[in-house]
Amino acid sequence: MQKLSYKDSGVDIQEGNALVESLKSLVKSTFNANVLGGIGSFSGAYALPQGYKEPVILAATDGVGTKLRLAIEANYLEGVGIDLVAMCVNDLICNFATPLFFLDYYATGKLDKTKALKVIEGIVQGCLEAECALIGGESAEMPGMYQDKDFDLAGFAVGIAEKSIIQRESQAKVGDVLIALPSSGIHSNGYSLVRKILAQKAISLDSLFEGKPLIETLLTPTKIYVKTFKAHQHKIKALAHITGGGLIENIPRCLPNGINALIKKSHIQTLPIFDFLAPYVDESDIYRTFNMGIGMVIICDSQDANSLARACEGYILGELIANKHDTKEVILA
């Protein structure tokens, strides 16, 4: 009777081990003094930073969504690792948490070391931009679960904040100002709709857009706002990460009841890619699907607004107004 090896089932342990060896130096480039131990243990260890009176640990997890499908089809994998980190750490700072460390999960049908390294190089770059350490990860080769060159990504970020800041009531009040921080593009939300438009309108990914192939614009990595938060958090009252749900659903998440966010559409500095997509999407839907060129919204005191907008390379988007009811919403005027 013929006996089978693990490789016969489609799992190549040697390729996995080779990947680990190739990425060790990359991962170590993200380490700081709080990282304990090396690479290859069963878990990562990180010492809590000093200087906090009552430290609270916060965590966020996310993926890249169907943006991965475009990246896989185009074999354009350099930026999706940055996307993965960005989607997690940008959520953390909305709760005033400073990112500490990150872990990733890479699952595929058949491990290709070269492609996996491109993805992990992006994760490393994202961690460096977010000033957090990549202390662990997992690659899983699962034939039968994933077909051909398909793979999926998940990420997990941990941050730290003072308990008093986490537990305090919302600082936002009527008269405060909304500052828009520009996005780098579509970021990592709405790609099911993007792919639907491309398919129905037979738009080629290789067609020229703004002087370069459209796919390059579509796969522009998500911007990371951690350094901006760290530099200006003392003037920030609230933050909203503009992900799925767009401006309409994400801004209310950082508002107290009884306050609305008033935004004039004419103030939104829409990126060309959204002007390109807009004719194919109902206007009522487009502001709930895409970020429209705004990756993060800061709420601050009116007296700080102009200087803070300049320092953050953003612009004034709108203001907070009273709501007669005990609700909160965004009003696009």
Side-chain angles (χ1 to χ4, degrees):
M1 181 178 68
Q2 182 181 4
K3 294 185 178 182
L4 299 175
S5 68
Y6 205 7
K7 190 172 184 179
D8 291 329
S9 71
V11 179
D12 190 339
I13 295 176
Q14 289 186 333
E15 186 78 351
N17 290 338
L19 173 63
V20 173
E21 286 301 316
S22 298
L23 59 80
K24 281 185 177 180
S25 61
L26 282 172
V27 172
K28 286 183 178 179
S29 70
T30 71
F31 284 7
N32 54 43
N34 293 317
V35 178
L36 306 178
I39 300 169
S41 187
F42 292 95
S43 61
Y46 194 94
L48 289 180
Q50 300 296 313
Y52 288 85
K53 295 179 180 178
E54 292 184 281
V56 174
I57 296 299
L58 295 89
T61 186
D62 212 334
V64 182
T66 55
K67 187 175 187 177
L68 270 180
R69 171 54 57 201
L70 289 179
I72 291 169
E73 290 174 355
N75 194 27
Y76 198 92
L77 306 177
E78 289 78 359
V80 291
I82 300 174
D83 287 310
L84 184 67
V85 176
M87 294 302 290
C88 296
V89 298
N90 285 346
D91 276 354
L92 281 179
I93 62 175
C94 290
N95 289 110
F96 285 75
T98 298
L100 298 178
F101 59 82
F102 188 84
L103 297 96
D104 69 274
Y105 178 73
Y106 179 101
T108 184
K110 183 168 181 59
L111 184 63
D112 183 320
K113 185 184 74 172
T114 301
K115 291 182 177 179
L117 272 174
K118 284 185 179 180
V119 174
I120 296 170
E121 284 171 358
I123 293 172
V124 167
Q125 184 177 339
C127 286
L128 292 172
E129 289 182 21
E131 297 181 330
C132 67
L134 178 59
I135 67 167
E138 176 72 15
S139 62
E141 196 171 19
M142 297 189 290
M145 287 290 291
Y146 299 92
Q147 302 302 318
D148 301 324
K149 55 187 177 181
D150 282 351
F151 67 90
D152 200 5
L153 292 174
F156 181 89
V158 169
I160 190 170
E162 285 286 3
K163 185 177 181 180
S164 59
I165 294 177
I166 300 302
Q167 289 189 322
R168 71 185 181 185
E169 294 183 359
S170 175
Q171 304 295 293
K173 68 180 190 305
V174 172
D176 284 345
V177 173
L178 304 169
I179 295 175
L181 302 187
S183 67
S184 55
I186 304 175
H187 283 185
S188 298
N189 293 100
Y191 278 87
S192 293
L193 180 54
V194 170
R195 292 173 55 243
K196 186 75 171 179
I197 292 170
L198 295 174
Q200 283 198 350
K201 304 303 176 181
I203 300 171
S204 172
L205 295 176
D206 295 323
S207 59
L208 286 181
F209 178 78
E210 297 283 296
K212 59 184 180 182
L214 176 61
I215 187 63
E216 292 187 23
T217 296
L218 294 177
L219 294 181
T220 300
T222 304
K223 188 171 183 178
I224 293 174
Y225 299 94
V226 172
K227 291 179 182 177
T228 297
F229 163 74
K230 285 184 175 181
H232 305 289
Q233 60 181 300
H234 59 291
K235 290 186 178 181
I236 296 173
K237 291 188 173 184
L239 279 166
H241 185 196
I242 311 305
T243 55
L247 294 166
I248 303 298
E249 295 185 10
N250 284 291
I251 293 177
R253 296 171 67 182
C254 69
L255 296 178
N257 288 332
I259 292 182
N260 287 342
L262 176 62
I263 297 173
K264 291 186 177 180
K265 291 181 184 178
S266 60
H267 287 185
I268 300 175
Q269 297 177 13
T270 307
L271 294 175
I273 187 60
F274 299 111
D275 294 331
F276 172 78
L277 296 170
Y280 308 111
V281 184
D282 289 336
E283 185 178 16
S284 61
D285 204 44
I286 198 166
Y287 287 98
R288 289 184 181 274
T289 304
F290 300 121
N291 66 55
M292 300 306 290
I294 301 170
M296 187 79 67
V297 171
I298 289 174
I299 296 176
C300 70
D301 194 279
S302 58
Q303 67 181 8
D304 295 325
N306 288 324
S307 61
L308 186 57
R310 287 194 299 270
C312 296
E313 299 182 339
Y315 60 90
I316 305 298
L317 181 64
E319 62 179 334
L320 300 186
I321 62 174
N323 184 338
K324 294 180 180 179
H325 308 285
D326 194 30
T327 57
K328 48 188 176 180
E329 61 181 318
V330 172
I331 300 172
L332 289 174

PDB file of all heavy atoms in Angstrom, residues 233-247:
ATOM      1  N   GLN A 233      -2.797  64.738  19.505  1.00  0.00           N
ATOM      2  CA  GLN A 233      -3.906  64.193  20.281  1.00  0.00           C
ATOM      3  C   GLN A 233      -4.376  65.126  21.396  1.00  0.00           C
ATOM      4  O   GLN A 233      -5.545  65.076  21.804  1.00  0.00           O
ATOM      5  CB  GLN A 233      -3.544  62.829  20.856  1.00  0.00           C
ATOM      6  CG  GLN A 233      -2.343  62.805  21.785  1.00  0.00           C
ATOM      7  CD  GLN A 233      -2.052  61.395  22.286  1.00  0.00           C
ATOM      8  OE1 GLN A 233      -2.884  60.767  22.931  1.00  0.00           O
ATOM      9  NE2 GLN A 233      -0.878  60.887  21.961  1.00  0.00           N
ATOM     10  N   HIS A 234      -3.494  66.010  21.874  1.00  0.00           N
ATOM     11  CA  HIS A 234      -3.888  66.925  22.954  1.00  0.00           C
ATOM     12  C   HIS A 234      -4.922  67.950  22.504  1.00  0.00           C
ATOM     13  O   HIS A 234      -5.596  68.575  23.331  1.00  0.00           O
ATOM     14  CB  HIS A 234      -2.648  67.642  23.504  1.00  0.00           C
ATOM     15  CG  HIS A 234      -1.893  68.446  22.485  1.00  0.00           C
ATOM     16  ND1 HIS A 234      -1.195  67.863  21.449  1.00  0.00           N
ATOM     17  CD2 HIS A 234      -1.747  69.787  22.335  1.00  0.00           C
ATOM     18  CE1 HIS A 234      -0.636  68.810  20.705  1.00  0.00           C
ATOM     19  NE2 HIS A 234      -0.963  69.977  21.213  1.00  0.00           N
ATOM     20  N   LYS A 235      -5.073  68.123  21.177  1.00  0.00           N
ATOM     21  CA  LYS A 235      -6.064  69.060  20.654  1.00  0.00           C
ATOM     22  C   LYS A 235      -7.260  68.352  20.017  1.00  0.00           C
ATOM     23  O   LYS A 235      -8.182  69.007  19.551  1.00  0.00           O
ATOM     24  CB  LYS A 235      -5.421  69.993  19.618  1.00  0.00           C
ATOM     25  CG  LYS A 235      -4.441  70.991  20.211  1.00  0.00           C
ATOM     26  CD  LYS A 235      -3.956  71.967  19.148  1.00  0.00           C
ATOM     27  CE  LYS A 235      -3.019  73.004  19.765  1.00  0.00           C
ATOM     28  NZ  LYS A 235      -2.550  73.988  18.743  1.00  0.00           N
ATOM     29  N   ILE A 236      -7.213  67.037  20.008  1.00  0.00           N
ATOM     30  CA  ILE A 236      -8.280  66.256  19.361  1.00  0.00           C
ATOM     31  C   ILE A 236      -9.324  65.845  20.403  1.00  0.00           C
ATOM     32  O   ILE A 236      -8.989  65.264  21.435  1.00  0.00           O
ATOM     33  CB  ILE A 236      -7.692  65.007  18.683  1.00  0.00           C
ATOM     34  CG1 ILE A 236      -6.736  65.413  17.550  1.00  0.00           C
ATOM     35  CG2 ILE A 236      -8.806  64.118  18.132  1.00  0.00           C
ATOM     36  CD1 ILE A 236      -5.979  64.239  16.934  1.00  0.00           C
ATOM     37  N   LYS A 237     -10.584  66.135  20.115  1.00  0.00           N
ATOM     38  CA  LYS A 237     -11.679  65.725  21.004  1.00  0.00           C
ATOM     39  C   LYS A 237     -12.242  64.365  20.622  1.00  0.00           C
ATOM     40  O   LYS A 237     -12.686  63.603  21.477  1.00  0.00           O
ATOM     41  CB  LYS A 237     -12.801  66.765  20.975  1.00  0.00           C
ATOM     42  CG  LYS A 237     -12.439  68.099  21.634  1.00  0.00           C
ATOM     43  CD  LYS A 237     -13.670  68.987  21.739  1.00  0.00           C
ATOM     44  CE  LYS A 237     -13.376  70.243  22.531  1.00  0.00           C
ATOM     45  NZ  LYS A 237     -14.599  71.065  22.727  1.00  0.00           N
ATOM     46  N   ALA A 238     -12.266  64.088  19.332  1.00  0.00           N
ATOM     47  CA  ALA A 238     -12.791  62.813  18.854  1.00  0.00           C
ATOM     48  C   ALA A 238     -12.249  62.538  17.462  1.00  0.00           C
ATOM     49  O   ALA A 238     -11.833  63.462  16.750  1.00  0.00           O
ATOM     50  CB  ALA A 238     -14.316  62.825  18.837  1.00  0.00           C
ATOM     51  N   LEU A 239     -12.258  61.257  17.101  1.00  0.00           N
ATOM     52  CA  LEU A 239     -11.777  60.817  15.788  1.00  0.00           C
ATOM     53  C   LEU A 239     -12.750  59.802  15.200  1.00  0.00           C
ATOM     54  O   LEU A 239     -13.296  58.972  15.924  1.00  0.00           O
ATOM     55  CB  LEU A 239     -10.407  60.145  15.911  1.00  0.00           C
ATOM     56  CG  LEU A 239      -9.158  61.006  15.994  1.00  0.00           C
ATOM     57  CD1 LEU A 239      -7.998  60.151  16.463  1.00  0.00           C
ATOM     58  CD2 LEU A 239      -8.828  61.616  14.650  1.00  0.00           C
ATOM     59  N   ALA A 240     -12.952  59.880  13.900  1.00  0.00           N
ATOM     60  CA  ALA A 240     -13.768  58.888  13.201  1.00  0.00           C
ATOM     61  C   ALA A 240     -12.997  58.362  12.005  1.00  0.00           C
ATOM     62  O   ALA A 240     -12.583  59.136  11.131  1.00  0.00           O
ATOM     63  CB  ALA A 240     -15.099  59.494  12.754  1.00  0.00           C
ATOM     64  N   HIS A 241     -12.787  57.055  11.965  1.00  0.00           N
ATOM     65  CA  HIS A 241     -12.136  56.390  10.843  1.00  0.00           C
ATOM     66  C   HIS A 241     -13.212  56.146   9.786  1.00  0.00           C
ATOM     67  O   HIS A 241     -14.204  55.458  10.042  1.00  0.00           O
ATOM     68  CB  HIS A 241     -11.520  55.069  11.321  1.00  0.00           C
ATOM     69  CG  HIS A 241     -10.726  54.354  10.293  1.00  0.00           C
ATOM     70  ND1 HIS A 241     -10.369  53.025  10.426  1.00  0.00           N
ATOM     71  CD2 HIS A 241     -10.192  54.763   9.112  1.00  0.00           C
ATOM     72  CE1 HIS A 241      -9.663  52.653   9.379  1.00  0.00           C
ATOM     73  NE2 HIS A 241      -9.546  53.682   8.553  1.00  0.00           N
ATOM     74  N   ILE A 242     -13.027  56.682   8.587  1.00  0.00           N
ATOM     75  CA  ILE A 242     -14.061  56.593   7.551  1.00  0.00           C
ATOM     76  C   ILE A 242     -13.858  55.323   6.747  1.00  0.00           C
ATOM     77  O   ILE A 242     -13.125  55.293   5.757  1.00  0.00           O
ATOM     78  CB  ILE A 242     -14.075  57.847   6.654  1.00  0.00           C
ATOM     79  CG1 ILE A 242     -14.081  59.111   7.523  1.00  0.00           C
ATOM     80  CG2 ILE A 242     -15.284  57.817   5.728  1.00  0.00           C
ATOM     81  CD1 ILE A 242     -15.228  59.161   8.537  1.00  0.00           C
ATOM     82  N   THR A 243     -14.517  54.263   7.209  1.00  0.00           N
ATOM     83  CA  THR A 243     -14.416  52.949   6.565  1.00  0.00           C
ATOM     84  C   THR A 243     -15.783  52.590   5.992  1.00  0.00           C
ATOM     85  O   THR A 243     -16.480  53.435   5.463  1.00  0.00           O
ATOM     86  CB  THR A 243     -13.929  51.907   7.585  1.00  0.00           C
ATOM     87  OG1 THR A 243     -14.794  51.924   8.732  1.00  0.00           O
ATOM     88  CG2 THR A 243     -12.525  52.218   8.045  1.00  0.00           C
ATOM     89  N   GLY A 244     -16.190  51.322   6.084  1.00  0.00           N
ATOM     90  CA  GLY A 244     -17.491  50.912   5.588  1.00  0.00           C
ATOM     91  C   GLY A 244     -18.608  51.697   6.255  1.00  0.00           C
ATOM     92  O   GLY A 244     -18.644  51.803   7.480  1.00  0.00           O
ATOM     93  N   GLY A 245     -19.511  52.240   5.464  1.00  0.00           N
ATOM     94  CA  GLY A 245     -20.536  53.128   5.994  1.00  0.00           C
ATOM     95  C   GLY A 245     -20.249  54.577   5.689  1.00  0.00           C
ATOM     96  O   GLY A 245     -21.126  55.439   5.838  1.00  0.00           O
ATOM     97  N   GLY A 246     -19.004  54.862   5.264  1.00  0.00           N
ATOM     98  CA  GLY A 246     -18.643  56.203   4.831  1.00  0.00           C
ATOM     99  C   GLY A 246     -18.792  57.263   5.911  1.00  0.00           C
ATOM    100  O   GLY A 246     -18.815  56.975   7.113  1.00  0.00           O
ATOM    101  N   LEU A 247     -18.897  58.502   5.471  1.00  0.00           N
ATOM    102  CA  LEU A 247     -19.069  59.625   6.389  1.00  0.00           C
ATOM    103  C   LEU A 247     -20.369  59.504   7.167  1.00  0.00           C
ATOM    104  O   LEU A 247     -20.434  59.832   8.359  1.00  0.00           O
ATOM    105  CB  LEU A 247     -19.067  60.947   5.609  1.00  0.00           C
ATOM    106  CG  LEU A 247     -17.762  61.354   4.917  1.00  0.00           C
ATOM    107  CD1 LEU A 247     -18.029  62.483   3.930  1.00  0.00           C
ATOM    108  CD2 LEU A 247     -16.724  61.790   5.941  1.00  0.00           C
TER     109      LEU A 247
END
